[in-house]
Amino acid sequence: MMQERSPGFKLVLAGLVGLVLMIPLIMVYGLVSDRQHQARVAQDSITAGSGGAQVVSGPVLVIPYEERRVSNETVNGVATTRTQTIRKQLFLSPEQHKLETALEPERKRKALYETVIYLAQMDGTARFVLPDDLSRFGATRDQLLLDEAQIRFGTSDPRGLRAVADVRVDGEPIELQPGEGVRSSGGAGFHGNIDWSSGEPLSVAYDYTLRGSLSLTLVPRGGQTDWKVSSPWAHPGFGGSFLPDRSEISSDGFTANWSIGNLALGQSMVMQEDLPPVRVNNFSGDVYTSSEPVEAASGKTATIRMVEPADIYAQVDRSVKYGFLFIGFTFLTYLLFDVVGGARVAPAEYLLTGAGLVLFFVMLLAFAEVMGFALAYVLASAAIIGLLTAYSAAVLGGWKRAGFIGVLLTALYAGLYILLSLEAASLIVGSLSMFLALAGVMYATRNVEWSRAGRSEELAES
């Protein structure tokens, strides 16, 4: 005659099975990361010919100058004076820079994967003034080669340049050449040579079209930078060092305005070396400076990200993190039916039920890649609820108890979807739900003697 296991032993046994199921749950978590990586590789291939996450900078005026160095040398006992001419450059930022950008987004798809590219129409004006105190920067006015000045524009991926850029200096168009861009945007871009022999204030008007993907970053320069962006994209993300001063976001799109002064940038209007490049993470839109030893002002940027409103991999990833709660609540319900209701639940039945709960996340990922997260969630949860409800009828000995399991699972899946939707309030809602569930379990098991071991029914009848 076998002795019945104590409620405490059954609890430990259910807990051990639950811990074993953490292994396939972790494997599902890894599967989500792998599929997300594949999606990123596919996005890279889609945007390969369209330009990546673009970083733009400029215009910047580059003025060469000649510095004479005199050195005394002794050759064969004879003292001589040697004069050496060294060619250097000054980088002059605009006193005022106004830029308007119109972003036209477009979705591109490859197999199961989709990404967003954009066409940015850049229209700007800038005003350059030659400072009077050039001596602070190691040069004098007569050393400057103003007739050899260059105006430079930076784009991190020049493959995205479309049509012909138009740059006018004091109303006159200038011839543009590729390369020799602004270093802060990666050194690529385009430039034009100008004759600034007069040294009078210089007005520059320009426009060009740039194709890119995922994000657009501006590296502001100069005394005052005003940037206005408009787009029909309804889900922008703002990042970098400066957030917009004003922004309006609706279902019809967004507009954003930045006003960035020289004091906020902490940059000199004239520099002997250009700012180092910033780089952009193509997937998150985060901007970070290179590892070169540079001043803190070098990495200040303003970034717009074309945010996908429904990143299925991020949503599935978040849902998998709640997987242990599904397993825990379901096992706890089985345990209560076993301890309080008299049903017998074997370890193998715990294991098979847990396998079904883990399978939900695999189905959710597979369906979401094809039909989107919301519909995939409904189909995957309906399939698992139906499967486990039918199985529970056999395990728990009746459809009435199985119906309770079905209601529980429906509540769990509905609750998880609400948590995923709430985002900011998900923690407090989740913690309160767990508190109520714990209180219910405590109430249901208040009279259970966890260490008591009884006899089987056959022994009791004898």
Side-chain angles (χ1 to χ4, degrees):
M1 309 298 284
M2 295 182 60
Q3 189 177 33
E4 186 181 352
R5 294 168 178 162
S6 69
F9 184 82
K10 292 178 180 179
L11 175 62
V12 172
L13 194 62
L16 291 175
V17 175
L19 289 176
V20 170
L21 289 170
M22 291 297 105
I23 297 174
L25 198 61
I26 293 173
M27 294 175 66
V28 172
Y29 190 80
L31 176 63
V32 175
S33 298
D34 179 67
R35 299 295 293 185
Q36 188 173 33
H37 174 72
Q38 291 184 36
R40 290 176 175 178
V41 172
Q43 288 176 344
D44 270 353
S45 66
I46 294 172
T47 60
S50 302
Q54 293 282 11
V55 180
V56 297
S57 186
V60 173
L61 209 56
V62 181
I63 307 171
Y65 70 97
E66 292 181 343
E67 180 182 285
R68 290 181 175 84
R69 292 183 180 177
V70 178
S71 60
N72 297 320
E73 298 180 357
T74 301
V75 180
N76 297 325
V78 180
T80 60
T81 300
R82 182 179 179 183
T83 302
Q84 186 179 16
T85 301
I86 300 175
R87 190 180 177 94
K88 292 186 175 182
Q89 292 178 327
L90 290 180
F91 295 84
L92 178 63
S93 297
E95 184 183 62
Q96 293 179 344
H97 182 205
K98 294 184 178 181
L99 174 62
E100 292 190 6
T101 302
L103 281 178
E104 290 293 335
E106 180 184 354
R107 292 183 179 273
K108 290 287 186 178
R109 190 175 186 86
K110 181 178 180 181
L112 296 174
Y113 307 109
E114 186 178 67
T115 190
V116 179
I117 64 174
Y118 60 79
L119 204 62
Q121 179 61 45
M122 316 287 284
D123 295 288
T125 59
R127 185 174 186 270
F128 292 89
V129 177
L130 193 62
D132 296 326
D133 55 345
L134 286 173
S135 58
R136 291 195 303 121
F137 309 103
T140 59
R141 176 69 178 266
D142 61 339
Q143 290 177 296
L144 301 181
L145 303 176
L146 293 173
D147 59 332
E148 299 180 24
Q150 273 188 356
I151 187 165
R152 297 182 180 180
F153 296 82
T155 59
S156 59
D157 193 342
R159 294 175 303 166
L161 288 169
R162 292 293 182 267
V164 179
D166 180 33
V167 178
R168 295 177 179 269
V169 177
D170 287 335
E172 296 294 326
I174 64 171
E175 184 180 352
L176 300 175
Q177 301 292 332
E180 291 193 55
V182 181
R183 187 173 173 229
S184 57
S185 59
F190 55 93
H191 71 280
N193 298 315
I194 63 173
D195 185 350
W196 196 24
S197 300
S198 66
E200 296 297 322
L202 200 67
S203 296
V204 176
Y206 66 90
D207 67 82
Y208 62 91
T209 303
L210 183 66
R211 185 179 293 277
S213 61
L214 301 177
S215 69
L216 175 65
T217 296
L218 174 69
V219 183
R221 305 283 292 264
Q224 177 67 34
T225 301
D226 296 311
W227 188 28
K228 179 180 179 180
V229 183
S230 58
S231 173
W233 187 257
H235 308 282
F238 303 115
S241 308
F242 302 101
L243 295 178
D245 298 293
R246 299 184 308 277
S247 62
E248 295 181 4
I249 304 173
S250 68
S251 58
D252 297 325
F254 77 92
T255 59
N257 295 269
W258 285 259
S259 183
I260 305 168
N262 180 258
L263 294 179
L265 287 175
Q267 295 175 0
S268 173
M269 296 290 291
V270 181
M271 289 178 283
Q272 292 181 319
E273 291 186 5
D274 201 2
L275 296 177
V278 297
R279 299 183 178 90
V280 179
N281 182 323
N282 284 343
F283 306 116
S284 66
D286 298 329
V287 180
Y288 55 95
T289 59
S290 66
S291 58
E292 301 176 39
V294 294
E295 57 182 340
S298 63
K300 294 186 177 179
T301 59
T303 299
I304 297 173
R305 295 196 302 271
M306 311 298 282
V307 176
E308 286 285 1
D311 184 346
I312 61 169
Y313 298 103
Q315 290 176 302
V316 174
D317 178 83
R318 288 185 63 201
S319 65
V320 172
K321 293 176 182 177
Y322 290 97
F324 74 96
L325 289 178
F326 280 70
I327 295 173
F329 278 122
T330 307
F331 279 18
L332 194 57
T333 305
Y334 273 19
L335 182 66
L336 290 177
F337 277 123
D338 189 339
V339 173
V340 180
R344 302 293 182 89
V345 184
E349 293 166 336
Y350 279 112
L351 188 62
L352 289 174
T353 302
L357 295 171
V358 173
L359 181 60
F360 161 76
F361 299 104
V362 180
M363 296 175 65
L364 175 61
L365 175 61
F367 291 167
E369 289 185 333
V370 177
M371 61 187 68
F373 183 81
L375 183 56
Y377 193 95
V378 172
L379 292 179
S381 59
I384 296 302
I385 291 172
L387 175 65
L388 295 185
T389 301
Y391 184 64
S392 298
V395 172
L396 302 178
W399 282 100
K400 186 176 180 180
R401 292 174 175 176
F404 184 85
I405 294 293
V407 171
L408 171 69
L409 291 175
T410 302
L412 285 175
Y413 285 117
L416 175 60
Y417 192 84
I418 293 172
L419 288 177
L420 295 175
S421 303
L422 289 175
E423 295 186 354
S426 60
L427 181 59
I428 187 169
V429 173
S431 60
L432 288 175
S433 300
M434 292 180 65
F435 173 81
L436 294 175
L438 179 61
V441 172
M442 287 181 172
Y443 180 80
T445 59
R446 66 192 185 281
N447 296 322
V448 174
E449 298 180 22
W450 293 99
S451 60
R452 177 184 57 82
R455 295 285 183 180
S456 64
E457 292 181 3
E458 293 81 7
L459 180 62
E461 291 176 356
S462 63

